Amino acid sequence: MARGLRSLLRSLALRCPRCGARGVTRRWVTVSPVCPGCRLRLDRGEPDYWIGALMLNLIAAELLLAGGILVTLVLTWPDPPWDALLWGGIPILVVFPIVTYPVTKLLWLAFDLNVRPPTPRDFAPGQETGAPESAP
């Protein structure tokens, strides 16, 4: 349980969920192929690995929108600002997924590492077992 929580917190800080190394993102939407610390393949060597991260990202955006609409409806009932809800919801559904995309990629990786621990083939050549877990 503690290891899973630690890997999720590392992901939120844009670090490797396994070892906590920095530098796992290259550009805003690009995750490095290999962790610079433990040499873990961050895409786990599978085609279309990040589809789960996309799903997680879109679900989070939709939940944020639904929560915002619910709070607005409760606070302004019986005369909710329908136009403001419509025009305010569009930027949420566009901007939120872009801003949180690298975080959701690493959260997806952390979830996957907790469900499916890494094997020697999950590491880049030259280091079969990876570095042991280090500080957060």
Side-chain angles (χ1 to χ4, degrees), residues 72-130:
T72 304
L73 288 175
V74 168
L75 294 176
T76 61
W77 196 259
D79 191 26
W82 295 112
D83 288 339
L85 287 172
L86 173 67
W87 295 108
I90 293 171
I92 289 173
L93 290 178
V94 172
V95 173
F96 182 82
I98 294 169
V99 170
T100 60
Y101 189 60
V103 175
T104 55
K105 275 185 154 183
L106 293 172
L107 283 172
W108 178 252
L109 178 62
F111 171 77
D112 189 37
L113 288 171
N114 285 314
V115 173
R116 207 174 40 131
T119 61
R121 68 186 176 117
D122 289 322
F123 294 92
Q127 187 164 351
E128 281 67 34
T129 59

Side-chain angles (χ1 to χ4, degrees), residues 6 10 13 19 27 30 39 71 78 99 101 110-111 114 133 135:
R6 183 174 49 225
R10 287 174 177 167
C19 71
R27 284 178 240 123
T30 306
R39 307 291 298 155
V71 168
V99 170
Y101 189 60
F111 171 77
N114 285 314
E133 291 204 20

Side-chain angles (χ1 to χ4, degrees), residues 1-90:
M1 179 69 176
R3 187 179 75 193
L5 181 60
R6 183 174 49 225
S7 66
L8 290 176
L9 291 174
R10 287 174 177 167
S11 298
L12 290 173
L14 293 177
R15 293 178 173 211
C16 174
R18 183 173 182 271
C19 71
R22 295 178 189 218
V24 293
T25 56
R26 283 200 222 154
R27 284 178 240 123
W28 191 249
V29 295
T30 306
V31 174
S32 298
V34 175
C35 170
C38 64
R39 307 291 298 155
L40 176 73
R41 286 187 189 157
L42 298 177
D43 66 357
R44 305 286 311 259
E46 299 171 5
D48 301 330
Y49 178 74
W50 300 118
I51 289 176
L54 287 169
M55 176 195 65
L56 182 66
N57 197 334
L58 293 175
I59 289 172
E62 290 169 3
L63 287 174
L64 177 68
L65 177 66
I69 289 173
L70 183 65
V71 168
T72 304
L73 288 175
V74 168
L75 294 176
T76 61
W77 196 259
D79 191 26
W82 295 112
D83 288 339
L85 287 172
L86 173 67
W87 295 108
I90 293 171

